[in-house]
């Protein structure tokens, strides 16, 4: 599936109620650069769009789900609010997962591979997610039920 980032960026801009001029002035890019992004004429579109989204505290994955039509759990979402509500009520799939340790190791390796991204570009929310994965990795030596209790406590703290 090819993702049309330019059209997704246009939908995002229109959804937040900004003109092209308002957007490029707000995020500090040139009119030409925004035009390139919206017309898919840029090699580094993903990175540039991620930088734009940081000004609005929106995750790139959420942007793709809502504005580029990428599905989450087989579902489509029409707004960030709808996606957020779904994520808040989404059940965790930790219980009875025989491959959990392998998945944790994979995620930790991804963190190590992307350390440059963390140091230079990650949003606060992304950094928090990474820290959660590190905490999760620490819990590997404990019973998974202990981790599930920790997850519940953490979710209560965030609300």
């Amino acid at each position: 599936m090819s993702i049309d980032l330019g059209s997704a960026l246009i939908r995002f801009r229109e959804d937040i109620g900004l003109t092209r001029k308002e957007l490029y002035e707000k995020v500090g890019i040139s009119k030409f650069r925004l035009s390139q992004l919206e017309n898919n004429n840029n090699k580094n579109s993903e990175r540039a769009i991620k930088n734009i989204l940081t000004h609005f505290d929106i995750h790139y994955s959420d942007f793709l789900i809502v504005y580029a039509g990428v599905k989450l759990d087989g579902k489509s979402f029409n707004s960030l609010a709808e996606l957020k509500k779904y994520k808040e009520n989404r059940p965790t799939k930790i219980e009875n997962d025989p491959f959990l340790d392998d998945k944790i190791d994979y995620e930790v390796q991804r963190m190590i591979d992307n350390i440059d991204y963390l140091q230079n570009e990650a949003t606060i929310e992304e950094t928090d997610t990474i820290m959660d994965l590190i905490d999760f990795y620490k819990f590997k030596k404990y019973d998974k039920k202990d981790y599930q209790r920790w997850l519940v406590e953490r979710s209560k703290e965030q609300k």
Side-chain angles (χ1 to χ4, degrees):
M1 174 180 146
S2 177
I3 297 175
D4 183 351
L5 291 175
S7 294
L9 182 58
I10 291 168
R11 283 193 293 281
F12 167 73
R13 178 178 53 76
E14 291 172 347
D15 192 42
I16 61 173
L18 295 179
T19 64
R20 281 189 178 126
K21 182 178 182 185
E22 289 168 331
L23 181 61
Y24 69 72
E25 287 177 349
K26 181 174 178 83
V27 300
I29 62 174
S30 71
K31 178 181 178 179
F32 177 72
R33 177 92 159 125
L34 180 58
S35 177
Q36 282 186 315
L37 291 169
E38 288 187 347
N39 290 302
N40 293 311
N41 293 329
N42 192 291
K43 293 178 187 174
N44 297 318
S45 294
E46 183 178 328
R47 174 174 258 162
I49 290 173
K50 283 179 181 179
N51 288 334
I52 289 170
L53 295 173
T54 61
H55 291 273
F56 301 94
D57 198 27
I58 295 173
H59 286 281
Y60 184 68
S61 60
D62 292 348
F63 167 82
L64 292 176
I65 292 166
V66 173
Y67 299 102
V70 174
K71 294 186 179 200
L72 174 65
D73 297 338
K75 300 177 189 308
S76 297
F77 298 88
N78 296 316
S79 71
L80 290 167
E82 180 185 1
L83 175 61
K84 181 179 178 182
K85 184 176 179 181
Y86 175 78
K87 284 182 169 183
E88 287 171 354
N89 298 315
R90 186 177 181 200
T92 58
K93 297 180 181 178
I94 293 172
E95 203 169 292
N96 300 324
D97 186 346
F99 302 105
L100 187 59
D101 289 343
D102 293 335
K103 291 175 185 175
I104 295 167
D105 290 339
Y106 173 77
E107 290 300 323
V108 170
Q109 185 59 50
R110 279 188 37 201
M111 285 188 314
I112 292 167
D113 293 343
N114 291 302
I115 198 74
D116 182 56
Y117 172 77
L118 287 175
Q119 292 173 338
N120 298 310
E121 298 176 29
T123 65
I124 292 170
E125 196 172 50
E126 287 171 321
T127 303
D128 288 344
T129 300
I130 302 289
M131 296 309 294
D132 289 347
L133 286 171
I134 291 169
D135 287 341
F136 183 83
Y137 185 75
K138 289 177 188 175
F139 271 96
K140 273 181 69 171
K141 62 184 174 184
Y142 301 109
D143 185 341
K144 287 179 181 67
K145 289 183 180 182
D146 288 343
Y147 176 70
Q148 289 171 337
R149 281 192 290 274
W150 176 83
L151 261 183
V152 169
E153 290 172 15
R154 186 179 180 289
S155 68
K156 288 177 184 175
E157 289 173 5
Q158 290 181 339
K159 290 180 182 181

